Amino acid sequence: METLVQLLMRGMDAGLQLLTQPFYYISILFVMLLYRRQVLLERKLFHVRLHSWGLQTWRTFLGGLLAGLAVSVAVAFLGVSLSLGAIICIWVTSLILMLFHIRYLCFAYSIGLLGILQFVLSWFPNLATEGWAHAVLSTIRSLDIPALLALAAVLHFAEAVLVKLQGSSFATPLFLEGKRGKLVGGYHMQSFWPLPLFMLVPAAGGGAVLPWTPFFGGDAWSGGFMMMALPVVIGFGEMTQSMLPKEKAVITSKRLIIYAAVVLALSMLAEWWSPLTLIAALAALLLHEGLVWYSRYEEQQRSPVFVHPVRGLRVLAVLPDSPAHELGIQPGETILKVNGTLVHSKEQLHGALRQNPAFCKLEVQNHQGESKFLQRAIYAGDHHQLGAIVAPDPRDGIAARLKPVSLITLLANKLHVQKFRKDPAGEKALRSEEAGFDS
């Protein structure tokens, strides 16, 4: 009972510490900017927004809060502890990496890089430094890299759960240039979750002793414990043209679980035999990057889903609270007939809907290839396509150009799109234009 009271009291103190740290607020602001960027892209491509950046931020905040509490319990048994200097060192490394790409805002990259740097510094034990450089190098040398890698692994377990539960809800539909230069539909899935962690720290004379012995730290826990707050950010980014967002989220989640299990096993072995620390740090970096590149390679080898079949129009996305949403039309399904008329283009879709301005009947082919028949009244103010965003055709003439996004470009809030034009020979070509924002 005494230990529980100590945990609660020190948890409250750590919570107050968290409110005084700028990194947690920075992470929430970063998430808000990311979702605002998403909404701007949707308006640019479709003239409507499919998501609310405020609601997305709120859902992300709650998901991150619950995940942070769960991770805090897990790392309490592992015994991962951090000093204030280590926290600053990790966050500064993460922010520097973000200058190159926002997906590098991941502790697997920053901790893995610090582990490699610590190994390099071990070659120069007599390196003389002064002032702030001496403080930085001393902090890096003192980092418990195996324990930090274990923390990164547990964070990726939490990320896997969040990706499975929420990953598909943050998917943005896009018109993209396919492998053969034709427009195809796809989804950009990206989200980050700010997590508040409450870390136990060994402390001599710190009062109550833990009733368990954490894996990392050994005898350091015999003198008692303290608690400190650590804000972290976890996130993922995926691009899919070959499957539905929910399917992609499930696959990504499974791969993250395997990755986390490997890094956790290596970190525990490194605690037992220190020469494995470098291997664990390299694995955290290279395996994570390997997951990203393998996902891209897999997408290149598969056929795109969001292209129009021989008959009908393939649905790329459905606006929330629209007639299509109320009718139960799903992304990936195909609109075959509208008011008894076969449709092969957006113009034919509009014309068929105008045949009866007060009512519509649809034949839609579902994912299993079966037809379902839907009908609904049409009201003033309804979306001109009933709220169904269909896959692109060359006449749409606009596509997002995906390229690496850094912290600087995120703050600059710019978007690049590609527009199709006809060259003098009559062939379609791509012209890149500044349009305010890229993805």
Side-chain angles (χ1 to χ4, degrees):
M1 180 61 69
E2 181 182 356
T3 302
L4 180 59
V5 172
Q6 289 273 1
L7 286 171
L8 291 175
M9 294 296 295
R10 292 177 183 177
M12 293 175 62
D13 291 339
L16 293 176
Q17 293 174 17
L18 182 70
L19 297 178
T20 64
Q21 295 183 18
F23 294 119
Y24 191 52
Y25 301 108
I26 290 173
S27 63
I28 295 175
L29 178 62
F30 164 75
V31 169
M32 292 173 62
L33 288 173
L34 186 71
Y35 292 142
R36 183 175 179 271
R37 178 187 180 87
Q38 179 188 47
V39 170
L40 290 175
L41 178 59
E42 292 169 353
R43 289 189 181 278
K44 181 65 187 179
L45 290 176
F46 308 114
H47 308 292
V48 293
R49 63 176 178 85
L50 285 81
H51 299 90
S52 165
W53 66 268
L55 179 60
Q56 296 287 68
T57 302
W58 179 246
R59 291 179 60 190
T60 297
F61 170 77
L62 289 179
L65 178 62
L66 294 176
L69 295 176
V71 171
S72 298
V73 173
V75 297
F77 287 95
L78 285 173
V80 181
S81 61
L82 287 171
S83 65
L84 179 60
I87 293 174
I88 295 174
C89 190
I90 292 172
W91 261 100
V92 169
T93 304
S94 298
L95 292 175
I96 292 174
L97 290 174
M98 277 184 65
L99 296 176
F100 300 94
H101 201 303
I102 59 172
R103 69 179 177 85
Y104 293 151
L105 182 61
C106 173
F107 275 21
Y109 290 104
S110 55
I111 294 172
L113 185 60
L114 289 170
I116 296 171
L117 185 57
Q118 186 186 75
F119 174 77
V120 173
L121 289 176
S122 67
W123 294 352
F124 308 97
N126 299 321
L127 181 64
T129 56
E130 297 180 356
W132 65 268
H134 174 75
V136 171
L137 294 183
S138 298
T139 301
I140 295 175
R141 285 192 173 101
S142 65
L143 292 176
D144 187 353
I145 296 298
L148 294 179
L149 290 173
L151 171 62
V154 176
L155 288 173
H156 278 82
F157 279 119
E159 180 183 329
V161 175
L162 289 171
V163 167
K164 185 175 182 179
L165 295 178
Q166 296 186 340
S168 61
S169 63
F170 301 121
T172 298
L174 298 175
F175 292 171
L176 303 166
E177 183 186 5
K179 291 184 290 186
R180 298 181 180 179
K182 295 182 178 180
L183 281 176
V184 300
Y187 277 89
H188 186 222
M189 304 164 61
Q190 188 170 64
S191 181
F192 291 87
W193 293 271
L195 272 65
L197 297 187
F198 299 92
M199 314 283 293
L200 298 181
V201 181
V209 179
L210 292 174
W212 67 87
T213 302
F215 183 84
F216 296 97
D219 296 336
W221 295 98
S222 59
F225 66 91
M226 297 181 65
M227 186 178 292
M228 65 185 305
L230 169 65
V232 303
V233 177
I234 60 175
F236 86 114
E238 289 282 6
M239 180 68 216
T240 181
Q241 304 173 20
S242 63
M243 60 187 74
L244 296 171
K246 286 186 178 180
E247 297 172 347
K248 188 70 172 182
V250 170
I251 291 175
T252 300
S253 176
K254 291 179 179 178
R255 291 173 179 170
L256 285 172
I257 289 174
I258 296 173
Y259 167 81
V262 171
V263 174
L264 181 60
L266 287 174
S267 66
M268 289 182 168
L269 289 173
E271 177 71 6
W272 171 66
W273 192 46
S274 59
L276 287 175
T277 300
L278 177 63
I279 296 176
L282 287 170
L285 269 171
L286 298 179
L287 290 179
H288 198 285
E289 196 66 13
L291 289 177
V292 174
W293 286 104
Y294 180 76
S295 177
R296 293 176 182 174
Y297 172 79
E298 183 182 47
E299 287 293 329
Q300 292 174 357
Q301 300 305 309
R302 296 168 64 102
S303 299
V305 170
F306 300 103
V307 294
H308 295 307
V310 177
R311 298 175 60 249
L313 295 174
R314 183 65 48 82
V315 177
L316 173 61
V318 176
L319 297 178
D321 302 321
S322 65
H325 181 263
E326 294 176 6
L327 288 168
I329 298 176
Q330 301 291 326
E333 295 184 336
T334 303
I335 300 175
L336 297 176
K337 293 182 181 180
V338 177
N339 291 328
T341 302
L342 289 170
V343 292
H344 303 286
S345 66
K346 293 180 181 179
E347 290 76 12
Q348 292 178 347
L349 173 61
H350 299 160
L353 287 171
R354 286 196 296 268
Q355 290 178 8
N356 188 343
F359 198 81
C360 67
K361 295 182 179 180
L362 289 82
E363 181 182 348
V364 178
Q365 188 179 69
N366 62 18
H367 298 145
Q368 292 74 37
E370 301 172 349
S371 292
K372 57 182 182 181
F373 298 91
L374 311 171
Q375 56 184 4
R376 182 189 185 277
I378 299 178
Y379 303 101
D382 282 347
H383 190 269
H384 65 284
Q385 291 180 184
L386 302 178
I389 297 174
V390 298
D393 59 52
R395 288 169 293 184
D396 287 319
I398 186 169
R401 177 162 58 92
L402 299 180
K403 72 172 194 176
V405 177
S406 67
L407 178 62
I408 295 175
T409 55
L410 180 65
L411 294 175
N413 200 28
K414 281 195 172 183
L415 161 66
H416 301 281
V417 298
Q418 291 175 321
K419 289 190 177 181
F420 281 98
R421 62 176 174 82
K422 288 197 174 183
D423 63 17
E427 296 294 331
K428 292 188 181 296
L430 280 174
R431 175 169 55 90
S432 177
E433 290 193 354
E434 294 282 346
F437 182 126
D438 80 341
S439 177

